[in-house]
Structure formats: structure tokens, C-alpha cells
Amino acid sequence: MRRNIELRSDTFTKPTHVMLEAMFSAKVGDDVFGEDEVVNSLEKKASELFGMEAAIFCPSGTMTNQLAIRTHCSPGSEVICDAQSHVYIYEGGGIAVNAFSSVKPIHGHQGKITAEQVRNSINNPNDIHQPISKLVSLENTANRGGGSIYDFNEILKIKSVCEEKNLILHLDGARLFNALVETKETPKDYGQVFDSISICLSKGLGCPVGSLLLGNNDFIQKARRFRKLMGGGWRQAGFLAAAGIYALENNIQRLKEDHMRAKRIGEFLSRSKDVKSVYPVETNIVIFEVNDYLTAKEYVDKLVLDGIRCIPFGHQLIRMVTHLDFTEDDLEYLLTKL
Ligand SMILES: *Cc1c(COP(=O)(O)O)cnc(C)c1O
């Protein structure tokens, strides 16, 4: 029987029945007036989870990252990040457009940069030719690194460089929970190190829409102003916040299942004659390179005939992402088609 298996991204998840029930029964208000109690409690829940002062609920991870960058930076600032990071390559040039700032792209390893690389990328503040190094942005897990997880000790070293050099540290944690369920650190460990954290509810956690930006009271207050300015002041957003509360309470630990399935896909692919190499599978993302006689597009188009969707990630690179709508049964089917 032909199936419909969606592996292009973990954003494709649809709310489950129980999540929908939580959404339907939300007692909403007007969030621009600060009167949507469901949004307020989601923001409180998330900030308490990370031990941070405040949070703001937004439509997308792009918006939470961009609000952070806009709030931390000023015209002529520079953001230090990996050359493959989402904030740099997938947010429409927002660092330039929204924050009038430039980027120092670092060629890291599997989407991750080191404290040494950060130190070597800081401009001389007394040289008027150079933009002012202001913000370091890390991504965990790193999407283009194949869902790779940062070594927390390296994050701590990066933090010391930031403290020494007076730089702000932001985390694009679109898939931070995928890292957290695989490591011994807690959300509070992250909350102590980063000045701001963006997390997505609409990926592995299974919400239809939504991301949160976390930081101190003053920072979130400023971000709230910029959110309004960008047209992101939403009204009865509590229906969506209710999904977020449900997800934070129920959908974190199960991410491990997605990781187990991704690992099985990775192991299977590494034995396939069509596949040249597979990135190490650490979480729910599998990135692999097809052999020379194939292109990513040809490989992807062939799988579509079996009802399987994945995404070209370069000329010969392909990405598959597992998530809560990809079941054990789907996995068994997939493995017969690869
Ligand atoms: C998905 C993603 C985001 C945010 O994406 P939106 O589609 O705007 O919610 C940010 N960073 C990374 C690493 C992502 O994978």
C-alpha cells in the first residue's frame, strides 16, 4: 500500500487529538493588551523551566531569532556565528535588514564553532574600519551539521570568551530539546549561560505554530516592542499557546523515539550502494551524500514515487527529519524502499 511519509522537516507535524482539545478549551484574551492568560502562562512556564526571568511567544523561530538580534545589536554591530547557521543563511538576510548589522561567518565543524574560533573572530574595537563585534549566536542542535549536539564544556568556554570580551551570547535552540534529552544538562544549565534563547514549539514538540524567546525582563520588554513593530503583536494567541503548554508537558521525552528511528535510518543508509556517506546521527536529523552517479534531486524524486518525501540539501546531499508523526510502522516501510 502506498503511504504518505513526510521526512522533509519536523515542522510538518499536525496537532494530535489531545493537543487539539487543549487548544479548543483555551480561555483566551487579547495578548497585545497582555490579557491572554494562556499566553501568559506559557511564557511563565517556559521562563521557569529555563530559570530565566521572562519569555515572549512568537509565530516563528525566525522571528524569535531576529527579535533577539535586533534587540541585542545596533547599526554597525557584527554577529559571530557558524557559516551554515540558520540566522545567517535561512532568515532572509534579517541580520542586515532588521538589525543593520553584519556577520562574521565562521567555518565550524558540523555546524558548531569553538571558543578559539570565536576569540579569533573578534574585531579590534579601536579600529574604525571594522564593525563592532557584539553578539555570538550558537545553534543547538545544529541543523546543517546533521542535528549535531554541542559539547556543553565548549559552550562554557565560549561563554568565558564572551564575558572577557564583552560579547552577548544567544542560542538558536530551535531543536534544543532534542539535545537536552540526549545529554545530562538541564534547561536551567542553558538558562544560566545564555543571555537569550530561542526555542521552537512547532518542530519536534509537535505544535502547529509557535516559538519562544527567553531572556531577562529588560531584554524581553524591548523585544516586545520590536515584535509589535514587526506586526507580530497577536491577539487571541492563547489557542496556540495552549498547544505549547501541552507540548512542554507531554512531548519532550518522546523525542528520544525520533532519535532512535533516525539512527536506524542512518545505519541502513550507510550500507546502501547509492549512498557515499552519512553524517553522524545524534538526534532526529539524517543528512547523507549520494554516490557520484546520482544527484540529490534524482534520489528524492525516486522516493516520491513510493510516497516518501525528503529534501535535497545540496547537489548530492539529502536531509531526512524524524518526528512524532513518523511511526515505527512508517520506519519499517521506509527501510523496504531505501
Ligand atoms: C526551523 C529553524 C528555525 C526557525 O524556523 P521557523 O520556520 O521560522 O520557525 C531557526 N533555527 C533553526 C536551526 C531551525 O531549524
Side-chain angles (χ1 to χ4, degrees):
M1 196 186 70
R2 190 178 183 276
R3 305 215 179 183
N4 189 10
I5 293 187
E6 184 53 80
L7 295 168
R8 282 176 294 175
S9 175
D10 43 7
T11 54
F12 281 88
T13 53
K14 306 234 168 74
T16 55
H17 191 70
V18 269
M19 181 180 275
L20 278 173
E21 275 180 353
M23 296 169 73
F24 278 136
S25 55
K27 300 274 177 295
V28 297
D30 192 318
D31 181 49
V32 174
F33 286 82
E35 289 177 13
D36 191 311
E37 290 310 326
V38 192
V39 172
N40 294 344
S41 63
L42 171 66
E43 291 173 347
K44 184 157 180 284
K45 189 177 188 66
S47 52
E48 282 172 2
L49 181 64
F50 283 84
M52 295 174 93
E53 283 177 10
I56 181 170
F57 184 41
C58 291
S60 71
T62 300
M63 186 182 263
T64 46
N65 280 331
Q66 289 300 317
L67 282 181
I69 294 165
R70 176 70 183 87
T71 308
H72 289 311
C73 295
S74 33
S77 297
E78 189 160 83
V79 179
I80 297 170
C81 61
D82 184 272
Q84 304 230 64
S85 53
H86 197 281
V87 293
Y88 180 41
I89 61 174
Y90 290 136
E91 297 186 4
I95 295 176
V97 175
N98 297 315
F100 307 102
S101 294
S102 70
V103 179
K104 179 90 69 150
I106 298 183
H107 293 278
H109 177 61
Q110 292 173 343
K112 298 174 291 182
I113 58 179
T114 65
E116 201 47 41
Q117 287 178 311
V118 170
R119 184 182 290 284
N120 294 334
S121 307
I122 301 168
N123 295 332
N124 174 2
N126 300 319
D127 182 345
I128 59 163
H129 298 85
Q130 301 182 354
I132 296 167
S133 305
K134 184 85 181 194
L135 178 70
V136 176
S137 180
L138 308 182
E139 189 174 303
N140 196 20
T141 64
N143 173 27
R144 290 202 64 99
S148 58
I149 303 175
Y150 259 95
D151 172 2
F152 196 69
N153 284 322
E154 197 61 42
I155 293 180
L156 292 177
K157 285 188 202 157
I158 293 172
K159 175 68 176 175
S160 332
V161 174
C162 291
E163 276 171 348
E164 182 192 329
K165 299 289 183 183
N166 207 15
L167 299 173
I168 299 163
L169 187 57
H170 171 71
L171 178 65
D172 176 356
R175 296 191 181 85
L176 179 58
F177 290 107
N178 295 85
L180 282 166
V181 298
E182 293 295 333
T183 53
K184 62 178 188 343
E185 282 76 36
T186 64
K188 288 198 173 69
D189 293 330
Y190 278 83
Q192 273 178 10
V193 172
F194 287 91
D195 297 293
S196 55
I197 299 179
S198 158
I199 54 170
C200 284
L201 301 168
S202 59
K203 296 197 167 160
L205 295 189
C207 293
V209 174
S211 288
L212 285 151
L213 178 64
L214 303 136
N216 69 26
N217 285 326
D218 180 51
F219 166 80
I220 294 297
Q221 192 49 38
K222 287 184 183 138
R224 216 171 269 288
R225 176 173 287 277
F226 288 127
R227 187 188 67 170
K228 189 77 184 82
L229 177 73
M230 289 177 183
W234 44 6
R235 303 295 178 175
Q236 285 81 46
F239 293 114
L240 296 167
I245 292 171
Y246 179 86
L248 290 177
E249 286 173 359
N250 297 282
N251 289 350
I252 295 177
Q253 279 310 317
R254 63 150 307 287
L255 290 170
K256 278 197 153 239
E257 289 177 36
D258 301 340
H259 300 176
M260 270 152 39
R261 291 184 189 124
K263 282 196 176 81
R264 282 200 49 206
I265 297 172
E267 281 158 18
F268 194 90
L269 285 170
S270 61
R271 296 192 301 269
S272 158
K273 69 169 176 39
D274 289 338
V275 173
K276 190 188 265 180
S277 64
V278 184
Y279 287 22
V281 181
E282 295 181 44
T283 53
N284 69 330
I285 297 179
V286 184
I287 297 181
F288 58 99
E289 190 183 6
V290 289
N291 265 323
D292 294 338
Y293 57 85
L294 275 172
T295 65
K297 188 173 178 309
E298 285 165 347
Y299 191 94
V300 167
D301 288 348
K302 184 181 132 325
L303 280 180
V304 168
L305 302 176
D306 290 316
I308 298 160
R309 287 196 163 71
C310 52
I311 203 163
F313 229 43
H315 182 58
Q316 289 188 304
L317 277 186
I318 294 162
R319 185 185 78 168
M320 293 181 173
V321 189
T322 60
H323 50 73
L324 88 182
D325 288 347
F326 176 70
T327 63
E328 197 62 24
D329 214 38
D330 293 335
L331 173 65
E332 298 307 329
Y333 171 84
L334 173 74
L335 297 184
T336 66
K337 301 294 177 189
L338 291 179

